[in-house]
């Protein structure tokens, strides 16, 4: 519904996006034998948590950025080689930008995507705000209520998905097979998401801005090349075969 509202054009073009993949995991999370190593897990929350949010922003934007800058850090998990926090800045061919925060150190686990468009802000969890200028450049008190109402009406008129989460993903693929249509997300889309995550790691490891696409001759084109260049924040100091079965959380999407 956020994408369709953005695609309606009422808010104008997307100029700046904020993507928050904010999770919290205790120190023992990385004690599990395969977690916290570049070789076995492939990365930290940039790959294993924010992958879903990065997939969403690629889908909403309709393609990959052309430049990526990032900062990788491990601020709370000294039993892990991989990052537990990253900040990535993305620049697109049309001049628009985005920032992605990937974390397992954020209490509250608030998830969300905010699209700052030419005429209004659109966000999931759903909210919208639109400003209109005074002669001095400051916003008119009370916002642009007329545009905000149009955006709210557009969003409200869109039907909710019948199924959400994993059930919705499976239903979408099965429906595509049955009706010979394209699913929301294809294998090609998934590859682009992995390429963007790889670019975030490359920029963070090399501490510089990198460009996309990643060419086949680039070391980072393969997992072997990424492993060769990966920064080890710490060395894994503990390992357990498995945890006792406990409930897992899937983040907080409630509007605050």
């Amino acid at each position: 519904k956020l994408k369709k509202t953005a695609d309606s054009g009422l808010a104008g073009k997307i100029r700046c996006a904020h993507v928050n993949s904010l999770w919290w995991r205790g120190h023992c999370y990385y004690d599990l034998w395969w977690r916290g190593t570049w070789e076995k897990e492939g990365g930290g929350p940039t790959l294993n948590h924010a992958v879903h949010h990065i997939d969403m922003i690629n889908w909403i934007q309709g393609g990959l950025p052309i430049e990526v800058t990032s900062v990788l850090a491990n601020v709370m998990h000294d039993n892990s080689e991989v990052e537990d926090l990253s900040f990535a800045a993305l620049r697109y061919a049309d001049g628009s930008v985005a920032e992605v925060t990937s974390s397992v150190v954020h209490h509250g686990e608030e998830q969300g995507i905010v699209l700052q468009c030419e005429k209004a802000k659109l966000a999931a969890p759903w909210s919208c705000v639109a400003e209109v200028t005074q002669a001095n450049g400051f916003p008119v008190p009370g916002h642009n209520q007329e545009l905000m109402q149009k955006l709210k009406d557009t969003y409200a008129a869109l039907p909710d998905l019948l199924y959400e989460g994993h059930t919705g993903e499976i239903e979408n693929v099965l429906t595509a097979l049955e009706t010979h249509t394209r699913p929301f997300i294809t294998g090609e889309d998934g590859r682009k998401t992995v390429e963007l995550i790889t670019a975030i790691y490359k920029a963070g490891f090399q501490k510089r801005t990198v460009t996309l696409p990643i060419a086949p001759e680039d070391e980072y084109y393969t997992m072997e090349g990424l492993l060769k260049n990966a920064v080890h924040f710490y060395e894994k100091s503990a390992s357990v075969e498995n945890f006792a079965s406990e409930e897992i959380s899937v983040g907080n999407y409630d509007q605050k």
Side-chain angles (χ1 to χ4, degrees):
K1 292 175 74 168
L2 178 68
K3 176 174 171 59
K4 287 184 177 181
T5 303
D7 288 347
S8 73
L10 284 172
K13 294 180 180 179
I14 299 170
R15 306 315 296 152
C16 175
H18 302 270
V19 181
N20 291 322
S21 178
L22 310 181
W23 308 82
W24 186 92
R25 295 292 183 266
H27 187 271
C28 60
Y29 176 78
Y30 285 107
D31 288 348
L32 196 60
W33 66 274
W34 56 269
R35 285 193 186 133
T37 67
W38 290 105
E39 181 181 9
K40 295 183 178 70
E41 195 177 14
T46 312
L47 174 66
N48 294 302
H49 294 74
V51 58
H52 307 295
H53 300 79
I54 293 171
D55 204 41
M56 284 186 235
I57 196 62
N58 282 349
W59 182 53
I60 290 170
Q61 287 278 24
L64 290 170
I66 58 172
E67 291 181 349
V68 176
T69 305
S70 71
V71 174
L72 309 175
N74 184 319
V75 298
M76 278 180 51
H77 298 86
D78 62 4
N79 58 337
S80 167
E81 299 172 1
V82 301
E83 89 285 356
D84 61 11
L85 177 65
S86 75
F87 305 102
L90 320 177
R91 185 183 300 278
Y92 293 85
D94 66 355
S96 63
V97 295
E99 62 90 14
V100 179
T101 301
S102 309
S103 172
V104 285
V105 304
H106 276 66
H107 297 270
E109 298 196 310
E110 291 93 349
Q111 315 291 311
I113 293 180
V114 177
L115 307 177
Q116 295 289 351
C117 305
E118 293 169 308
K119 301 175 184 178
K121 179 203 84 170
L122 308 174
W126 170 249
S127 69
C128 76
V129 179
E131 309 291 2
V132 62
T133 188
Q134 300 182 67
N136 63 4
F138 286 78
V140 171
H143 313 298
N144 185 343
Q145 292 294 332
E146 181 181 358
L147 177 55
M148 288 170 61
Q149 191 59 54
K150 288 180 180 178
L151 289 166
K152 291 175 182 177
D153 291 344
T154 297
Y155 185 89
L158 295 169
D160 291 334
L161 292 172
L162 184 60
Y163 303 102
E164 296 184 4
H166 292 150
T167 302
E169 293 172 358
I170 294 168
E171 189 273 340
N172 179 245
V173 172
L174 291 178
T175 298
L177 291 171
E178 292 167 351
T179 59
H180 304 287
T181 56
R182 184 188 188 278
F184 282 146
I185 297 297
T186 67
E188 184 179 354
D189 296 317
R191 185 194 184 283
K192 290 178 180 177
T193 297
V194 173
E195 184 172 13
L196 178 49
I197 292 169
T198 302
I200 293 172
Y201 281 138
K202 179 181 178 180
F205 295 160
Q206 298 186 352
K207 298 184 178 179
R208 68 178 183 89
T209 299
V210 303
T211 59
L212 285 164
I214 297 176
E217 59 270 19
D218 192 310
E219 272 193 319
Y220 287 84
Y221 194 82
T222 66
M223 184 62 184
E224 290 76 18
L226 189 145
L227 290 176
K228 176 183 175 182
N229 292 281
V231 173
H232 286 218
F233 294 96
Y234 297 96
E235 297 303 325
K236 192 170 175 68
S237 58
S239 181
V240 297
E241 184 174 347
N242 211 341
F243 294 133
S245 179
E246 295 181 12
E247 184 179 353
I248 64 172
S249 62
V250 293
N252 179 7
Y253 289 83
D254 292 334
Q255 182 65 53
K256 299 299 183 184

